[in-house]
Amino acid sequence: MNRKVRFGVVGTNFITDWVIAGARQDPRFELAAVYSRTEERAAAFAEKYHIPMKFTSLEEMACRDDLDAIYIASPNCCHAEQSILCMSHGKHVLCEKPLASNAREARAMIEASQRYGVALMEAMKPTLTPNFWAVAANLSSVGKVRRYFSCYCQYSSRYDKLKAGEVLNAFRPELSNGALMDIGVYTIYPMIVLFGKPQRVDATGLLLPTGVDGQGAVNFTYEGMNATVLYSKIANSALPTEIQGEEGNITLDRINRIGQVVFTPRQAPAMGREEPVQPKDISLPTVNDEYFYEVKVFIDLIERGEREARINSHTHSLQTMEVLDEIRRQVGVVYPADKLG
């Protein structure tokens, strides 16, 4: 298949800008349509990127025979309904993280992918970049894995607005938002890709006045190992991600955008003075924009006629949503979407 894959995009925010910039590095990508709820935003976005078609009806866009795939970057609460609508019209769907509001919605999306014979992939970018491949390829170097630790804490400017009495989308439960869904998922999805679904989840968090979480800390139990993740939208942290094993450690500078991966072998016991161990940079060159890789993997799926990716698979996405559901249950975060169905 050498022809272009013609994309429509849902959502006109900064994330869509970033994805388009990366996607255009793949010569197979063609940006053909945009959907927005208002004619003004659709027209402005179409003019910005020279997009030939613009819509204020998603169903009208999904029905087009001259579109192959839809990238969805709408609020989390809309992911399932919009994805299923697009898939029902034979469109492949690349959906932003988190895949859905909850596991029930994720199951319905996966079932739609199978029923309509189209690809569905969660746009969780870090797990599809070269430096995540470096982690996976070198994981055996640490020996028996005993701990996974990951941290993503980033103070949100929108939190200042919240403290001033203005509630923006990032902290609205009706949009299925909050710290866990926005940034905590970055710490959990790679853990599930590498180690599978944990046996036990123990979560604590802080609820904000709107009912969403501002931050959280979660311990996970696996056979023979533990995992801990920290995430926050109300405080910053510079802590890296680390995989600790009996023979050494792998350290990732940032879990959401992996710029460097370092392997440090265990210091061997010795008599007398010990020579310091030498960390080894095992990072891989990242030639393209970080968003290029997720679009490339997605287009590869379409070309091969496959329904799901190997890394950002339906199973990994569903297991992640099941873990997120349990964390929210323990912390006390409830979305209107949880009460539907």
Side-chain angles (χ1 to χ4, degrees):
M1 176 176 165
N2 296 316
R3 69 174 178 83
K4 299 276 191 177
V5 176
R6 300 161 297 182
F7 277 77
V9 296
V10 176
T12 55
N13 55 38
F14 63 91
I15 297 176
T16 310
D17 290 328
W18 294 345
V19 169
I20 290 171
R24 282 182 162 172
Q25 294 182 355
D26 191 317
R28 300 169 297 175
F29 175 84
E30 179 180 325
L31 182 55
V34 58
Y35 160 81
S36 181
R37 289 175 296 172
T38 70
E39 180 67 35
E40 293 76 17
R41 283 198 296 269
F45 202 79
E47 182 179 5
K48 178 180 179 180
Y49 287 106
H50 308 289
I51 304 172
M53 296 184 287
K54 55 184 183 295
F55 300 89
T56 54
S57 165
L58 181 58
E59 183 156 17
E60 184 180 345
M61 185 170 81
C63 287
R64 295 287 303 202
D65 291 333
D66 48 359
L67 287 178
D68 306 300
I70 308 292
Y71 165 67
I72 294 178
S74 55
N76 300 335
C77 63
C78 302
H79 287 182
E81 181 179 1
Q82 292 179 340
S83 295
I84 292 171
L85 171 64
C86 292
M87 288 187 284
S88 73
H89 289 286
K91 301 300 182 286
H92 307 285
V93 170
L94 176 63
C95 183
E96 262 304 328
K97 62 79 195 167
L99 187 65
S101 295
N102 51 49
R104 175 185 55 79
E105 289 186 348
R107 291 187 192 97
M109 294 167 71
I110 292 168
E111 195 277 329
S113 169
Q114 301 301 326
R115 184 192 326 146
Y116 298 115
V118 292
L120 169 68
M121 191 182 85
E122 185 170 0
M124 171 59 70
K125 66 177 174 62
T127 50
L128 300 176
T129 57
N131 275 332
F132 186 80
W133 308 337
V135 173
N138 289 275
L139 190 59
S140 61
S141 300
V142 306
K144 179 69 174 177
V145 176
R146 291 305 187 186
R147 186 181 304 278
Y148 168 89
F149 171 81
S150 188
C151 179
Y152 186 7
C153 300
Q154 181 173 283
Y155 188 94
S156 172
S157 61
R158 296 172 180 84
Y159 181 52
D160 289 333
K161 297 283 190 179
L162 181 66
K163 290 191 289 184
E166 182 180 357
V167 181
L168 299 181
N169 288 353
F171 297 110
R172 292 174 59 186
E174 61 268 32
L175 298 182
S176 304
N177 278 341
L180 175 66
M181 301 291 269
D182 187 16
I183 61 179
V185 64
Y186 280 110
T187 68
I188 295 168
Y189 199 105
M191 177 189 78
I192 287 178
V193 170
L194 292 172
F195 308 112
K197 188 177 178 182
Q199 298 170 337
R200 178 175 170 177
V201 177
D202 296 287
T204 60
L206 291 178
L207 291 181
L208 299 176
T210 61
V212 303
D213 57 330
Q215 69 179 33
V218 191
N219 290 319
F220 302 97
T221 301
Y222 286 88
E223 183 176 355
M225 65 169 280
N226 303 108
T228 298
V229 303
L230 309 176
Y231 52 88
S232 178
K233 290 178 72 68
I234 59 176
N236 285 326
S237 174
L239 293 175
T241 290
E242 188 173 57
I243 300 170
Q244 303 169 4
E246 294 185 353
E247 301 302 326
N249 299 351
I250 291 177
T251 305
L252 296 70
D253 58 348
R254 291 183 298 176
I255 193 61
N256 63 310
R257 183 181 294 178
I258 310 170
Q260 185 180 42
V261 184
V262 174
F263 169 66
T264 305
R266 175 177 58 84
Q267 176 71 63
M271 298 296 292
R273 184 178 178 180
E274 297 179 351
E275 293 295 327
V277 297
Q278 296 299 318
K280 178 183 179 183
D281 190 328
I282 57 174
S283 309
L284 291 176
T286 303
V287 178
N288 296 94
D289 182 278
E290 61 178 335
Y291 287 92
F292 159 82
Y293 299 98
E294 68 180 22
V295 176
K296 177 187 183 302
V297 169
F298 182 64
I299 293 178
D300 288 346
L301 290 181
I302 296 173
E303 289 192 340
R304 294 195 300 264
E306 298 175 0
R307 305 290 170 259
E308 62 178 308
R310 182 179 63 85
I311 296 177
N312 287 18
S313 67
H314 293 172
T315 296
H316 291 151
S317 292
L318 179 57
Q319 289 180 342
T320 298
M321 288 307 312
E322 290 171 342
V323 168
L324 299 186
D325 283 358
E326 178 59 20
I327 293 170
R328 288 197 296 112
R329 185 191 70 79
Q330 293 184 23
V331 173
V333 177
V334 179
Y335 300 139
D338 298 330
K339 302 173 183 179
L340 302 176

